[in-house]
């Protein structure tokens, strides 16, 4: 079985990346695990042309297909996202927008293999869980349109820098036991 852990932040060495590292390390004992960072891929914004509603393909050719190939090959997907103005980072939102060809709200649509399990980890600098819940909701909404089963989530408040992740490691490891 394969696991994909995605850093939904454009920062490849911060707190989100550290959580991705911990999650990937924990999952690697049970899964063939790959981690990716959204910022390592190059893609354009959705043009809103809706061509994909008729063809199940985007008119743009870029790295979206590479990311979706990773989603397709994984059995388990864990999206780790920080709060950027109370929701997912713009780079991850742009990726989600470009996944419209795979969205189950229109026919025809492209598909990824069925039976996938999706998990979400949200982090934010402030103390309120409300923003984490919004991030988790955005990721789970995305999973739903790809027909990925939402199986669990973790919200981590008061995490701004990489150094704040260490004291939360046990919580992250415990979450990983259910993946």
């Amino acid at each position: 079985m394969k696991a994909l852990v995605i850093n939904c932040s454009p920062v490849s060495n911060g707190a989100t990346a550290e959580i991705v590292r911990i999650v990937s390390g924990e999952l690697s004992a049970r899964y063939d695990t790959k981690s990716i960072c959204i910022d390592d891929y190059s893609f354009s914004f959705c043009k809103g042309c809706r061509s994909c509603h008729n063809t199940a393909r985007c008119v743009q050719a870029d790295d979206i297909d590479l990311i979706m190939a990773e989603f397709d090959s994984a059995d388990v997907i864990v999206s780790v996202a920080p709060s950027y103005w109370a929701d997912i980072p713009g780079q991850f939102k742009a990726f989600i927008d470009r996944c419209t060809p795979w969205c189950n709200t229109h026919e025809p649509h492209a598909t990824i293999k069925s039976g996938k399990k999706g998990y979400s980890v949200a982090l934010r600098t402030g103390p309120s869980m409300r923003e984490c819940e919004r991030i988790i909701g955005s990721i789970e909404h995305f999973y739903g349109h790809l027909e990925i089963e939402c199986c669990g989530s973790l919200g981590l408040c008061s995490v701004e820098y990489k150094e704040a992740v260490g004291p939360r490691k046990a919580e992250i490891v415990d979450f990983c036991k259910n993946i």
Side-chain angles (χ1 to χ4, degrees):
M1 300 243 320
K2 293 183 178 182
L4 174 66
V5 184
I6 180 168
N7 177 348
C8 303
S9 167
V11 181
S12 61
N13 62 355
T16 305
E18 182 63 15
I19 294 167
V20 166
R21 188 189 66 73
I22 293 167
V23 170
S24 296
E26 290 299 311
L27 296 184
S28 67
R30 292 175 283 143
Y31 298 97
D32 176 9
T33 305
K34 181 170 186 175
S35 61
I36 63 173
C37 180
I38 197 72
D39 202 50
D40 290 341
Y41 296 86
S42 179
F43 54 88
S44 299
F45 294 115
C46 176
K47 296 188 177 299
C49 69
R50 297 183 184 214
S51 291
C52 62
H53 288 217
N54 299 314
T55 64
R57 299 224 15 102
C58 185
V59 297
Q60 301 181 77
D62 52 27
D63 288 349
I64 291 298
D65 289 331
L66 296 174
I67 302 170
M68 289 311 293
E70 296 293 351
F71 270 65
D72 191 46
S73 70
D75 301 293
V76 169
I77 300 165
V78 182
S79 298
V80 183
S83 173
Y84 278 32
W85 285 97
D87 211 332
I88 57 176
Q91 293 84 343
F92 190 57
K93 176 62 169 84
F95 162 67
I96 290 172
D97 289 347
R98 286 290 308 285
C99 289
T100 301
W102 291 268
C103 182
N104 65 2
T105 59
H106 58 84
E107 290 296 338
H109 64 75
T111 60
I112 55 175
K113 291 181 193 104
S114 63
K116 298 181 185 309
K117 308 248 184 236
Y119 297 84
S120 310
V121 179
L123 61 143
R124 67 174 308 251
T125 61
S128 170
M129 188 57 72
R130 190 169 179 192
E131 277 185 36
C132 287
E133 291 166 354
R134 181 186 305 227
I135 293 164
I136 291 164
S138 292
I139 295 168
E140 289 182 347
H141 184 94
F142 169 58
Y143 284 167
H145 284 297
L146 295 181
E147 299 180 5
I148 297 170
E149 180 185 0
C150 300
C151 295
S153 62
L154 174 65
L156 300 167
C157 295
S158 303
V159 176
E160 184 167 359
Y161 297 107
K162 190 176 188 175
E163 297 75 26
V165 174
R168 308 297 288 276
K169 184 175 180 178
E171 191 176 353
I172 298 164
V173 168
D174 192 47
F175 171 72
C176 291
K177 291 176 184 173
N178 296 316
I179 298 176

Coordinates of all heavy atoms in Angstrom, one line a residue, residues 69-144:
A69 N -1.2 12.1 -10.8 CA -0.6 10.8 -10.9 C -0.2 10.3 -9.6 O -0.4 9.1 -9.2 CB 0.5 10.8 -11.9
E70 N 0.3 11.2 -8.7 CA 0.7 10.8 -7.3 C -0.6 10.5 -6.5 O -0.6 9.5 -5.8 CB 1.5 11.9 -6.7 CG 2.8 12.2 -7.3 CD 3.8 11.1 -7.2 OE1 3.6 10.2 -6.5 OE2 4.9 11.3 -7.8
F71 N -1.6 11.2 -6.7 CA -2.9 11.0 -6.0 C -3.4 9.6 -6.5 O -3.9 8.8 -5.7 CB -3.9 12.1 -6.3 CG -3.9 13.2 -5.4 CD1 -2.8 14.1 -5.3 CD2 -5.0 13.5 -4.6 CE1 -2.8 15.1 -4.4 CE2 -5.0 14.5 -3.7 CZ -3.9 15.4 -3.6
D72 N -3.4 9.4 -7.8 CA -3.9 8.1 -8.3 C -3.2 6.9 -7.8 O -3.8 5.9 -7.5 CB -3.8 8.2 -9.9 CG -4.6 7.0 -10.5 OD1 -5.7 6.8 -10.1 OD2 -4.0 6.4 -11.5
S73 N -1.9 7.0 -7.6 CA -1.1 5.8 -7.2 C -1.1 5.6 -5.7 O -0.8 4.5 -5.3 CB 0.4 5.9 -7.7 OG 1.0 6.9 -6.9
A74 N -1.6 6.5 -4.9 CA -1.6 6.4 -3.5 C -2.9 5.7 -3.0 O -4.0 5.9 -3.6 CB -1.5 7.8 -2.8
D75 N -2.8 5.0 -1.9 CA -4.0 4.4 -1.3 C -4.5 5.3 -0.2 O -5.7 5.3 0.2 CB -3.7 3.0 -0.7 CG -3.2 2.1 -1.8 OD1 -4.0 1.7 -2.7 OD2 -2.0 1.7 -1.8
V76 N -3.6 6.0 0.4 CA -3.8 6.9 1.5 C -3.2 8.3 1.2 O -2.1 8.3 0.7 CB -3.2 6.4 2.8 CG1 -3.2 7.4 3.9 CG2 -3.8 5.1 3.3
I77 N -3.9 9.3 1.4 CA -3.5 10.7 1.1 C -3.6 11.5 2.4 O -4.7 11.6 3.0 CB -4.2 11.4 0.0 CG1 -4.0 10.5 -1.3 CG2 -3.8 12.8 -0.3 CD1 -5.0 10.8 -2.4
V78 N -2.5 12.2 2.8 CA -2.5 13.0 4.0 C -2.1 14.4 3.5 O -1.0 14.6 3.0 CB -1.6 12.6 5.1 CG1 -1.7 13.5 6.3 CG2 -1.8 11.1 5.5
S79 N -3.1 15.4 3.6 CA -2.8 16.8 3.2 C -2.5 17.6 4.5 O -3.3 17.6 5.4 CB -4.0 17.4 2.5 OG -4.3 16.7 1.3
V80 N -1.4 18.2 4.5 CA -0.9 19.0 5.7 C -0.9 20.5 5.2 O -0.1 20.9 4.4 CB 0.4 18.6 6.2 CG1 0.8 19.4 7.5 CG2 0.5 17.1 6.5
A81 N -1.8 21.3 5.8 CA -2.0 22.7 5.4 C -1.9 23.7 6.5 O -2.6 23.5 7.5 CB -3.3 22.8 4.6
P82 N -1.2 24.7 6.4 CA -1.2 25.8 7.4 C -2.4 26.8 7.0 O -3.0 26.7 6.0 CB 0.1 26.5 7.1 CG 0.3 26.4 5.7 CD -0.2 25.0 5.3
S83 N -2.7 27.7 8.0 CA -3.7 28.7 7.8 C -3.0 29.9 7.1 O -2.0 30.5 7.6 CB -4.3 29.1 9.1 OG -5.1 30.2 8.9
Y84 N -3.6 30.3 6.0 CA -3.2 31.5 5.3 C -4.5 32.4 5.2 O -5.4 32.0 4.4 CB -2.7 31.3 3.9 CG -1.2 30.9 3.8 CD1 -0.6 30.1 4.8 CD2 -0.5 31.2 2.7 CE1 0.7 29.8 4.7 CE2 0.9 30.8 2.6 CZ 1.5 30.1 3.6 OH 2.8 29.7 3.5
W85 N -4.6 33.3 6.0 CA -5.8 34.1 6.1 C -7.1 33.3 6.3 O -8.0 33.4 5.6 CB -6.0 35.1 4.9 CG -5.0 36.2 5.1 CD1 -3.8 36.3 4.5 CD2 -5.2 37.4 5.9 NE1 -3.2 37.5 4.8 CE2 -4.0 38.2 5.7 CE3 -6.2 37.9 6.7 CZ2 -3.8 39.4 6.4 CZ3 -6.0 39.1 7.4 CH2 -4.8 39.8 7.2
A86 N -7.0 32.4 7.3 CA -8.1 31.6 7.8 C -8.5 30.5 6.9 O -9.6 29.9 7.0 CB -9.3 32.5 8.2
D87 N -7.7 30.1 5.9 CA -8.0 29.0 5.1 C -6.7 28.4 4.5 O -5.6 28.8 4.9 CB -9.0 29.4 4.0 CG -9.9 28.2 3.6 OD1 -9.5 27.1 3.7 OD2 -11.0 28.5 3.1
I88 N -6.8 27.5 3.5 CA -5.7 26.9 2.9 C -4.9 27.9 2.1 O -5.4 28.9 1.7 CB -6.1 25.7 2.0 CG1 -7.1 26.2 0.9 CG2 -6.7 24.5 2.8 CD1 -7.5 25.2 -0.1
P89 N -3.6 27.6 2.0 CA -2.7 28.5 1.2 C -3.2 28.6 -0.3 O -3.8 27.7 -0.8 CB -1.4 27.9 1.2 CG -1.4 27.0 2.4 CD -2.8 26.5 2.5
G90 N -3.0 29.8 -0.9 CA -3.5 30.0 -2.2 C -2.9 29.1 -3.2 O -3.6 28.7 -4.2
Q91 N -1.7 28.6 -3.0 CA -1.1 27.7 -4.0 C -1.9 26.3 -4.0 O -2.1 25.7 -5.0 CB 0.4 27.4 -3.6 CG 1.3 28.6 -3.8 CD 1.3 29.5 -2.6 OE1 0.4 29.6 -1.7 NE2 2.3 30.4 -2.6
F92 N -2.3 25.9 -2.8 CA -3.1 24.7 -2.7 C -4.5 24.9 -3.3 O -5.0 24.0 -4.0 CB -3.1 24.2 -1.2 CG -3.7 22.8 -1.1 CD1 -3.1 21.7 -1.8 CD2 -4.8 22.6 -0.3 CE1 -3.7 20.4 -1.7 CE2 -5.3 21.3 -0.2 CZ -4.8 20.2 -0.9
K93 N -5.0 26.0 -3.0 CA -6.3 26.4 -3.6 C -6.3 26.4 -5.1 O -7.2 25.9 -5.8 CB -6.9 27.7 -3.1 CG -8.2 28.2 -3.7 CD -9.3 27.2 -3.4 CE -10.7 27.8 -3.7 NZ -11.1 27.7 -5.1
A94 N -5.2 26.9 -5.7 CA -5.0 27.0 -7.1 C -4.9 25.5 -7.7 O -5.5 25.2 -8.7 CB -3.8 27.8 -7.5
F95 N -4.3 24.7 -6.9 CA -4.2 23.3 -7.3 C -5.6 22.6 -7.3 O -6.0 22.0 -8.3 CB -3.3 22.5 -6.4 CG -3.4 21.0 -6.4 CD1 -3.1 20.3 -7.5 CD2 -4.0 20.3 -5.3 CE1 -3.3 18.9 -7.6 CE2 -4.2 19.0 -5.3 CZ -3.8 18.2 -6.5
I96 N -6.3 22.9 -6.3 CA -7.7 22.3 -6.2 C -8.5 22.8 -7.3 O -9.3 22.0 -8.0 CB -8.3 22.7 -4.8 CG1 -7.7 21.9 -3.7 CG2 -9.8 22.4 -4.8 CD1 -8.1 22.3 -2.3
D97 N -8.5 24.1 -7.6 CA -9.2 24.6 -8.8 C -8.9 23.9 -10.1 O -9.8 23.6 -10.9 CB -9.0 26.1 -8.9 CG -9.6 27.0 -7.9 OD1 -10.4 26.5 -7.1 OD2 -9.2 28.2 -7.8
R98 N -7.6 23.6 -10.2 CA -7.2 22.9 -11.4 C -7.6 21.4 -11.5 O -7.4 20.8 -12.5 CB -5.7 23.1 -11.6 CG -5.2 24.5 -12.1 CD -5.6 24.8 -13.5 NE -5.2 23.8 -14.4 CZ -3.9 23.6 -14.8 NH1 -3.0 24.5 -14.4 NH2 -3.6 22.6 -15.7
C99 N -8.1 20.9 -10.4 CA -8.5 19.5 -10.3 C -10.0 19.4 -10.8 O -10.5 18.3 -10.7 CB -8.4 18.9 -8.9 SG -6.7 18.7 -8.5
T100 N -10.5 20.4 -11.4 CA -11.9 20.4 -11.9 C -12.1 19.2 -12.9 O -13.2 18.6 -12.8 CB -12.3 21.7 -12.5 OG1 -12.2 22.7 -11.4 CG2 -13.8 21.7 -13.0
P101 N -11.2 18.9 -13.7 CA -11.4 17.7 -14.6 C -11.7 16.4 -13.9 O -12.4 15.6 -14.4 CB -10.1 17.6 -15.4 CG -9.6 19.0 -15.4 CD -9.9 19.5 -14.1
W102 N -11.3 16.3 -12.6 CA -11.5 15.1 -11.9 C -12.7 15.2 -10.9 O -13.0 14.3 -10.2 CB -10.3 14.8 -11.0 CG -9.1 14.3 -11.8 CD1 -8.8 13.0 -12.2 CD2 -8.1 15.1 -12.4 NE1 -7.7 13.0 -12.9 CE2 -7.2 14.3 -13.1 CE3 -7.9 16.5 -12.5 CZ2 -6.1 14.8 -13.8 CZ3 -6.8 17.0 -13.2 CH2 -5.9 16.1 -13.8
C103 N -13.3 16.4 -10.9 CA -14.4 16.7 -10.0 C -15.7 15.9 -10.4 O -16.1 15.9 -11.6 CB -14.7 18.2 -10.0 SG -16.0 18.7 -8.9
N104 N -16.4 15.3 -9.5 CA -17.5 14.4 -9.7 C -18.8 15.2 -9.9 O -19.9 14.6 -9.9 CB -17.7 13.4 -8.7 CG -18.0 13.9 -7.3 OD1 -18.1 15.1 -7.1 ND2 -18.1 13.0 -6.3
T105 N -18.7 16.5 -10.1 CA -20.0 17.3 -10.2 C -20.4 17.5 -11.7 O -21.4 18.1 -11.9 CB -19.8 18.7 -9.6 OG1 -18.7 19.4 -10.3 CG2 -19.5 18.6 -8.1
H106 N -19.7 16.9 -12.6 CA -20.0 17.0 -14.0 C -19.6 15.8 -14.7 O -18.8 15.0 -14.3 CB -19.4 18.3 -14.7 CG -17.9 18.3 -14.6 ND1 -17.1 17.6 -15.5 CD2 -17.1 18.9 -13.7 CE1 -15.8 17.8 -15.1 NE2 -15.8 18.6 -14.0
E107 N -20.3 15.5 -15.8 CA -19.9 14.3 -16.7 C -19.6 14.8 -18.1 O -20.4 15.7 -18.6 CB -21.1 13.3 -16.7 CG -21.3 12.6 -15.4 CD -20.2 11.7 -15.0 OE1 -19.3 11.3 -15.8 OE2 -20.1 11.4 -13.8
P108 N -18.6 14.4 -18.7 CA -17.7 13.4 -18.2 C -16.7 14.0 -17.2 O -16.5 15.2 -17.3 CB -17.0 12.9 -19.4 CG -16.9 14.1 -20.3 CD -18.2 14.8 -20.1
H109 N -16.1 13.2 -16.4 CA -15.0 13.7 -15.6 C -13.9 12.6 -15.5 O -14.2 11.4 -15.6 CB -15.4 14.1 -14.2 CG -16.0 13.0 -13.3 ND1 -15.2 12.1 -12.7 CD2 -17.3 12.8 -12.9 CE1 -16.0 11.3 -12.0 NE2 -17.3 11.7 -12.1
A110 N -12.7 13.0 -15.3 CA -11.6 12.1 -15.2 C -11.7 11.5 -13.8 O -12.4 12.0 -12.9 CB -10.3 12.9 -15.3
T111 N -11.1 10.4 -13.6 CA -11.1 9.7 -12.3 C -9.8 9.3 -11.8 O -8.8 9.1 -12.6 CB -12.1 8.5 -12.3 OG1 -11.5 7.6 -13.2 CG2 -13.5 8.9 -12.6
I112 N -9.6 9.1 -10.5 CA -8.5 8.4 -9.9 C -9.0 7.1 -9.4 O -10.3 7.0 -9.2 CB -7.8 9.3 -8.8 CG1 -8.8 9.7 -7.8 CG2 -7.1 10.5 -9.5 CD1 -8.1 10.4 -6.6
K113 N -8.2 6.2 -9.1 CA -8.6 4.9 -8.6 C -9.5 5.1 -7.4 O -9.2 5.9 -6.5 CB -7.4 4.0 -8.3 CG -6.6 3.6 -9.5 CD -5.5 2.7 -9.2 CE -4.6 2.5 -10.4 NZ -3.3 3.3 -10.3
S114 N -10.4 4.2 -7.2 CA -11.3 4.3 -6.1 C -10.7 3.6 -4.8 O -9.7 3.0 -4.9 CB -12.7 3.7 -6.4 OG -12.5 2.3 -6.7
G115 N -11.4 3.8 -3.7 CA -11.0 3.2 -2.4 C -10.0 3.9 -1.6 O -9.4 3.4 -0.7
K116 N -9.7 5.2 -2.0 CA -8.6 6.0 -1.3 C -9.2 6.5 0.0 O -10.3 6.8 0.1 CB -8.2 7.1 -2.2 CG -7.5 6.6 -3.5 CD -7.0 7.7 -4.3 CE -6.5 7.2 -5.6 NZ -5.5 6.1 -5.5
K117 N -8.3 6.6 1.0 CA -8.6 7.2 2.3 C -7.8 8.5 2.4 O -6.7 8.6 2.1 CB -8.1 6.2 3.4 CG -8.7 4.8 3.2 CD -9.7 4.5 4.3 CE -10.1 3.1 4.1 NZ -11.5 2.9 4.0
G118 N -8.5 9.5 2.9 CA -7.9 10.8 3.0 C -7.9 11.3 4.4 O -8.9 11.1 5.2
Y119 N -6.8 12.0 4.8 CA -6.6 12.5 6.1 C -6.1 14.0 6.0 O -5.5 14.3 5.0 CB -5.6 11.7 6.9 CG -6.0 10.3 7.1 CD1 -5.8 9.3 6.1 CD2 -6.6 9.9 8.3 CE1 -6.2 8.0 6.3 CE2 -7.0 8.6 8.5 CZ -6.8 7.7 7.5 OH -7.2 6.4 7.7
S120 N -6.4 14.8 7.0 CA -6.1 16.2 6.9 C -5.4 16.6 8.2 O -5.8 16.2 9.3 CB -7.3 17.1 6.8 OG -8.2 16.6 5.7
V121 N -4.4 17.4 8.1 CA -3.7 18.0 9.2 C -3.7 19.5 9.0 O -3.2 20.0 7.9 CB -2.3 17.5 9.5 CG1 -1.6 18.2 10.7 CG2 -2.3 16.0 9.7
A122 N -4.2 20.3 9.9 CA -4.3 21.8 9.8 C -3.5 22.4 10.9 O -3.5 21.9 12.0 CB -5.7 22.3 9.8
L123 N -2.7 23.4 10.6 CA -2.0 24.1 11.7 C -2.2 25.6 11.5 O -2.4 26.1 10.4 CB -0.5 23.8 11.7 CG 0.3 24.1 10.4 CD1 1.7 24.5 10.8 CD2 0.4 22.9 9.5
R124 N -2.1 26.3 12.6 CA -2.3 27.8 12.6 C -1.5 28.3 13.7 O -1.2 27.7 14.7 CB -3.7 28.2 12.6 CG -4.4 27.8 13.9 CD -5.8 28.4 13.9 NE -5.8 29.8 13.6 CZ -6.0 30.8 14.5 NH1 -6.4 30.5 15.7 NH2 -6.0 32.1 14.2
T125 N -1.2 29.6 13.7 CA -0.4 30.3 14.7 C -1.2 30.7 15.9 O -0.7 30.7 17.0 CB 0.3 31.6 14.1 OG1 -0.7 32.5 13.7 CG2 1.2 31.2 13.0
G126 N -2.5 31.0 15.7 CA -3.3 31.4 16.8 C -3.9 30.3 17.7 O -3.7 29.1 17.4
P127 N -4.6 30.6 18.8 CA -5.1 29.6 19.7 C -6.5 29.0 19.4 O -6.9 28.0 20.0 CB -5.2 30.4 21.0 CG -5.5 31.8 20.6 CD -4.8 32.0 19.3
S128 N -7.2 29.5 18.4 CA -8.6 29.0 18.2 C -8.6 27.9 17.1 O -8.0 28.0 16.1 CB -9.4 30.2 17.6 OG -10.7 29.7 17.2
M129 N -9.3 26.9 17.5 CA -9.4 25.7 16.6 C -10.3 26.0 15.4 O -10.3 25.3 14.4 CB -10.0 24.5 17.4 CG -10.0 23.2 16.6 SD -8.4 22.7 16.0 CE -7.6 22.2 17.5
R130 N -11.1 27.1 15.4 CA -12.0 27.4 14.4 C -11.4 27.5 13.0 O -11.9 27.0 12.0 CB -12.7 28.7 14.7 CG -13.9 29.0 13.8 CD -14.7 30.1 14.3 NE -15.8 30.4 13.4 CZ -16.5 31.5 13.4 NH1 -16.3 32.4 14.4 NH2 -17.5 31.7 12.6
E131 N -10.2 28.1 12.9 CA -9.5 28.2 11.6 C -9.0 26.8 11.1 O -9.1 26.5 10.0 CB -8.3 29.1 11.7 CG -8.7 30.6 11.5 CD -7.5 31.5 11.4 OE1 -6.4 31.1 10.9 OE2 -7.6 32.6 11.9
C132 N -8.6 26.0 12.1 CA -8.2 24.6 11.7 C -9.3 23.9 11.1 O -9.2 23.1 10.1 CB -7.6 23.9 12.9 SG -5.9 24.4 13.4
E133 N -10.5 24.0 11.7 CA -11.7 23.4 11.2 C -12.1 23.8 9.8 O -12.5 23.0 9.0 CB -12.9 23.6 12.2 CG -12.6 22.9 13.5 CD -13.6 23.3 14.7 OE1 -14.3 24.3 14.5 OE2 -13.5 22.7 15.7
R134 N -11.9 25.1 9.5 CA -12.1 25.6 8.2 C -11.2 25.0 7.2 O -11.6 24.6 6.1 CB -12.0 27.1 8.2 CG -12.3 27.7 6.8 CD -12.0 29.2 6.7 NE -12.8 29.9 7.8 CZ -13.5 31.0 7.6 NH1 -13.6 31.5 6.4 NH2 -14.1 31.5 8.6
I135 N -9.9 24.9 7.5 CA -8.9 24.3 6.6 C -9.3 22.8 6.4 O -9.3 22.3 5.3 CB -7.5 24.4 7.3 CG1 -7.1 25.9 7.3 CG2 -6.5 23.6 6.5 CD1 -5.9 26.2 8.2
I136 N -9.6 22.1 7.5 CA -10.0 20.7 7.4 C -11.2 20.6 6.5 O -11.3 19.7 5.6 CB -10.2 20.1 8.7 CG1 -8.8 20.0 9.5 CG2 -10.9 18.7 8.7 CD1 -8.9 19.7 11.0
G137 N -12.2 21.5 6.7 CA -13.4 21.5 5.8 C -13.1 21.7 4.4 O -13.6 21.0 3.5
S138 N -12.1 22.6 4.0 CA -11.7 22.8 2.6 C -11.1 21.6 2.0 O -11.4 21.2 0.9 CB -10.8 24.0 2.5 OG -11.4 25.2 2.9
I139 N -10.2 20.9 2.8 CA -9.6 19.7 2.3 C -10.6 18.6 2.1 O -10.6 17.9 1.1 CB -8.4 19.3 3.2 CG1 -7.3 20.4 3.2 CG2 -7.8 17.9 2.8 CD1 -6.2 20.2 4.3
E140 N -11.4 18.4 3.1 CA -12.4 17.3 3.0 C -13.4 17.6 1.9 O -13.9 16.6 1.2 CB -13.1 17.1 4.4 CG -12.2 16.5 5.4 CD -12.9 16.3 6.7 OE1 -14.0 16.8 7.0 OE2 -12.3 15.6 7.6
H141 N -13.8 18.8 1.6 CA -14.6 19.2 0.5 C -14.0 18.7 -0.8 O -14.6 18.1 -1.7 CB -15.0 20.6 0.5 CG -15.9 21.1 -0.5 ND1 -17.3 21.2 -0.3 CD2 -15.7 21.4 -1.8 CE1 -17.9 21.6 -1.4 NE2 -16.9 21.7 -2.4
F142 N -12.7 19.0 -0.9 CA -11.9 18.6 -2.1 C -11.9 17.1 -2.2 O -12.1 16.6 -3.3 CB -10.5 19.2 -2.0 CG -9.5 18.7 -2.9 CD1 -9.7 18.8 -4.3 CD2 -8.3 18.1 -2.4 CE1 -8.7 18.3 -5.2 CE2 -7.3 17.7 -3.3 CZ -7.5 17.8 -4.7
Y143 N -11.6 16.4 -1.1 CA -11.5 15.0 -1.1 C -12.9 14.4 -1.6 O -12.9 13.5 -2.4 CB -11.3 14.4 0.3 CG -9.8 14.5 0.7 CD1 -9.6 14.2 2.1 CD2 -8.8 14.7 -0.1 CE1 -8.3 14.3 2.6 CE2 -7.5 14.8 0.4 CZ -7.2 14.5 1.7 OH -5.9 14.6 2.2
G144 N -14.0 15.0 -1.1 CA -15.3 14.5 -1.5 C -15.5 14.5 -3.0 O -16.1 13.6 -3.6

